[in-house]
């Protein structure tokens, strides 16, 4: 099991290229199941989660060719031989549930393992199932699998989501493209990854309006064609690396960065004393004057502050001047990075969904353990600014969502290396 060794080393300077979005790619890939024609994704990120989705699609009979070092995924679902998504693959990655809607829409049947929980929460899929039932699916939950049927095909309907769910919106959106008639998704998720999926589906011939707002309307069509689509920039990778110069000092340019993907996050950085400047190539980030100031954070569905940047922001606020309160409203257990940050000298009190952070001048390096994807990178950010040496273990979590993190950071002067 690999670990990452980091030595606190002062200001960073240089450029970091931002890859395509993991959470867009993980919903764009299952869209290949909706058509027998080729679907090609460019600007795909090179991550273990993408390899897991490739394996899952392959197990269904789809062909996924990973070209140009993994940046291009040439997919074809002409010969889907199976509708069974096995627990062995699904348990490794919850996004596997996103094959359910497309399989149902195109073939009228699917057998998908329930994903089970994960470190940050129970992660139920009841909203996915409710939406597909509204579209006419007959669902039977037994032996850990969803057995879904729609022998006469799906039928358009009004779907009212009681809470905003990114994945349930994606499953319903993909299924509705081939349903008979009109579907309206109310209280739909507005994330940029949803907008990206809608744009790709439209290129494939889908009739969709309203993506990016809370109401998405889909006119079902008989079939979808192929397309080529560039995966949108990863706003979570972007936000993560914007925090590197914020916590260490110096100046870093994030290539491909766009402020519109992270407006709420950039507002918080501004309030904390971090300058974000748009350049011809992306975003340039630096601290306005030395130590950042404490700010309060509440995580919300887009366009609010992203839950996927909460752990990373906490690392910054551990070194801020003053006391910050972070409220995690999306997941029930997403402060597991806090005990690890405490080992580095941070002062944090967690009560339920609130974490109160009293900033300290300097963190101190220590051996720490990654518990989930975003927590692992939060520890690396803290280690960059800490005195001394930090070893982050269980970095397989990290590789799920960040390609070549040690290369990208060491190119800006960070002392960071992977040790097997
Ligand atoms: C997506 O997960 C992302 N994953 C998550 O990123 C992200 O944190 C999350 O959206 C919120 O933005 C991918 O896109 C692959 P939700 P998803 O459905 O779709 C509850 C990362 O680090 N809920 O919007 O699973 C759920 O428990 C990952 O890249 C139900 O109750 O998130 C949560 O409390 C982590 N029933 C809330 O809704 C359901 O059927 C939001 O979940 C579905 C969700």
């Amino acid at each position: 099991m690999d670990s990452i060794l980091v030595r606190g080393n002062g200001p960073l300077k240089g450029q970091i290229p931002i890859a395509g979005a993991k959470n867009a790619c993980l919903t764009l890939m299952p869209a290949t199941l909706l058509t027998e024609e080729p679907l090609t994704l460019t600007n795909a990120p090179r991550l273990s989660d993408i390899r897991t989705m490739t394996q899952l699609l392959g197990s269904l009979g789809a062909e996924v060719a990973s070209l140009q070092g993994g940046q291009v995924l040439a997919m074809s679902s002409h010969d889907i031989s199976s509708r069974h998504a096995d627990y062995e693959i699904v348990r490794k990655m919850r996004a596997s549930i996103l094959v359910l809607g497309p399989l149902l829409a195109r073939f009228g049947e699917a057998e998908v393992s329930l994903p089970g929980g994960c470190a940050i929460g129970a992660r139920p899929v009841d909203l996915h199932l409710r939406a597909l039932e509204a579209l006419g699916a007959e669902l039977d939950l037994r032996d850990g699998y969803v057995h879904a049927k729609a022998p006469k095909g799906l039928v358009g309907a009004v779907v009212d989501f009681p809470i905003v769910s990114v994945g349930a919106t994606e499953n319903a959106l993909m299924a509705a493209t081939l349903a008979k008639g009109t579907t309206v998704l109310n209280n739909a998720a507005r994330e940029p990854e949803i907008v990206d999926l809608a744009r790709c589906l439209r290129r494939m011939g889908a009739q969709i309006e309203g993506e990016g707002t809370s109401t998405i309307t889909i006119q079902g069509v008989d079939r979808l064609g192929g397309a080529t689509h560039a995966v949108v920039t990863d706003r979570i990778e972007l936000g993560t690396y914007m925090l590197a110069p914020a916590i260490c000092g110096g100046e870093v340019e994030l290539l491909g960065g766009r402020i519109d993907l992270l407006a709420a996050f950039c507002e918080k950085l501004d309030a904390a004393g971090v300058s974000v400047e748009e350049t011809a190539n992306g975003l340039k980030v630096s601290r306005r004057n030395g130590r950042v100031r404490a700010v309060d954070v509440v995580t919300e569905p887009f366009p609010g502050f992203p839950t996927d940047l909460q752990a990373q922001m906490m690392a910054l606020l551990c070194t801020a001047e003053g006391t910050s309160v972070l409220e995690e409203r999306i997941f029930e257990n997403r402060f597991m990075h806090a005990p690890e940050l405490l080992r580095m000298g941070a002062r944090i009190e967690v009560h339920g969904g609130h974490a109160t952070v009293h900033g300290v001048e300097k963190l101190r390096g220590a051996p720490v353990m990654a518990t989930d994807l975003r927590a692992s990178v939060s520890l690396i950010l803290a280690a960059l600014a800490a005195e001394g040496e930090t070893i982050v273990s269980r970095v397989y979590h990290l590789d799920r969502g960040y390609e070549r993190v040690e290369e990208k950071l060491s190119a800006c002067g960070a002392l960071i290396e992977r040790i097997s």
Side-chain angles (χ1 to χ4, degrees):
M1 226 185 281
D2 286 358
S3 297
I4 296 262
L5 171 63
V6 181
R7 289 186 188 83
N9 178 44
L12 299 178
K13 187 130 183 68
Q15 296 180 320
I16 295 180
I18 302 301
K22 166 180 85 81
N23 290 349
C25 203
L26 289 177
T27 188
L28 289 162
M29 291 176 76
T32 181
L33 297 168
L34 290 166
T35 176
E36 59 188 24
E37 294 183 24
L39 175 60
T40 298
L41 299 177
T42 61
N43 194 36
R46 290 162 284 197
L47 302 168
S48 60
D49 269 9
I50 304 307
R51 291 191 288 276
T52 303
M53 183 60 84
T54 298
Q55 189 191 354
L56 172 60
L57 293 173
S59 75
L60 300 172
E63 288 161 32
V64 181
S66 176
L67 311 171
Q68 292 177 33
Q71 281 212 297
V72 173
L73 299 171
M75 303 181 289
S76 163
S77 294
H78 189 272
D79 306 319
I80 293 300
S81 49
S82 161
R83 282 87 158 139
H84 173 90
D86 198 77
Y87 176 61
E88 279 316 304
I89 299 180
V90 175
R91 72 184 175 83
K92 278 195 287 186
M93 188 187 58
R94 311 179 29 71
S96 308
I97 192 75
L98 294 172
V99 303
L100 178 58
L103 284 172
L104 255 182
R106 176 144 165 245
F107 302 105
E109 64 172 347
E111 194 180 90
V112 178
S113 167
L114 286 165
C118 80
I120 64 177
R123 310 289 297 275
V125 291
D126 56 311
L127 300 179
H128 297 240
L129 305 183
R130 192 191 301 188
L132 294 172
E133 277 180 328
L135 295 172
E138 295 152 22
L139 305 182
D140 177 18
L141 298 191
R142 62 177 192 277
D143 34 283
Y145 281 77
V146 183
H147 299 265
K149 288 201 178 325
K152 301 192 201 64
L154 296 175
V155 179
V158 176
V159 178
D160 296 312
F161 288 111
I163 59 167
V164 172
S165 162
V166 171
T169 300
E170 290 163 345
N171 243 331
L173 173 56
M174 288 189 283
T177 58
L178 294 177
K180 292 181 192 64
T182 304
T183 296
V184 179
L185 305 181
N186 290 321
N187 201 21
R190 300 171 55 191
E191 272 68 5
E193 293 75 36
I194 306 267
V195 172
D196 204 41
L197 173 62
R199 286 189 178 143
C200 178
L201 292 169
R202 194 176 289 121
R203 281 211 179 98
M204 295 165 69
Q207 294 181 22
I208 300 168
E209 284 174 13
E211 71 275 7
T213 74
S214 300
T215 303
I216 304 177
T217 304
I218 306 103
Q219 301 295 344
V221 294
D222 293 339
R223 60 186 298 283
L224 292 179
T228 295
H229 179 80
V231 179
V232 68
T233 301
D234 192 322
R235 64 193 167 98
I236 306 303
E237 187 194 26
L238 170 62
T240 301
Y241 287 124
M242 288 170 75
L243 287 168
I247 202 167
C248 293
E251 184 178 82
V252 173
E253 184 175 27
L254 294 313
L255 304 180
R258 289 168 31 195
I259 280 201
D260 67 301
L261 294 171
L262 281 176
F265 174 74
C266 290
E267 279 164 29
K268 283 297 170 186
L269 286 188
D270 181 58
V274 177
S275 151
V276 178
E277 182 197 332
E278 292 185 273
T279 69
N281 303 313
L283 299 177
K284 193 176 281 185
V285 178
S286 59
R287 283 193 306 214
R288 270 199 282 276
N289 39 27
R291 199 171 167 200
V292 298
R293 289 189 301 277
V295 292
D296 293 341
V297 170
V298 177
T299 65
E300 293 173 308
F302 194 86
F305 189 101
T307 174
D308 291 350
L309 284 171
Q310 177 260 109
Q312 299 91 312
M313 190 70 177
M314 187 185 286
L316 175 68
L317 296 175
C318 285
T319 64
E321 194 164 349
T323 296
S324 311
V325 177
L326 294 98
E327 182 182 352
E328 172 56 56
R329 286 191 180 166
I330 307 294
F331 291 109
E332 62 267 34
N333 184 32
R334 204 170 196 178
F335 287 139
M336 284 173 301
H337 39 288
E340 301 304 311
L341 290 167
L342 287 174
R343 292 178 49 74
M344 300 176 71
R347 289 181 53 218
I348 308 168
E349 293 130 26
V350 173
H351 298 290
H354 289 80
T356 302
V357 179
H358 306 281
V360 297
E361 281 273 352
K362 264 285 180 190
L363 295 171
R364 292 186 309 281
V368 291
M369 187 178 77
T371 49
D372 61 86
L373 166 56
R374 306 304 176 182
S376 51
V377 79
S378 152
L379 300 175
I380 288 186
L381 288 170
L384 290 173
E387 242 154 29
E389 203 169 82
T390 299
I391 292 196
V392 183
S393 60
R394 302 193 177 184
V395 289
Y396 58 84
H397 290 292
L398 192 68
D399 296 334
R400 295 189 53 178
Y402 292 90
E403 59 176 57
R404 304 171 296 123
V405 62
E406 61 274 19
E407 282 174 39
K408 292 192 174 187
L409 285 171
S410 49
C412 295
L415 296 180
I416 177 171
E417 59 184 292
R418 185 176 290 257
I419 45 181
S420 297

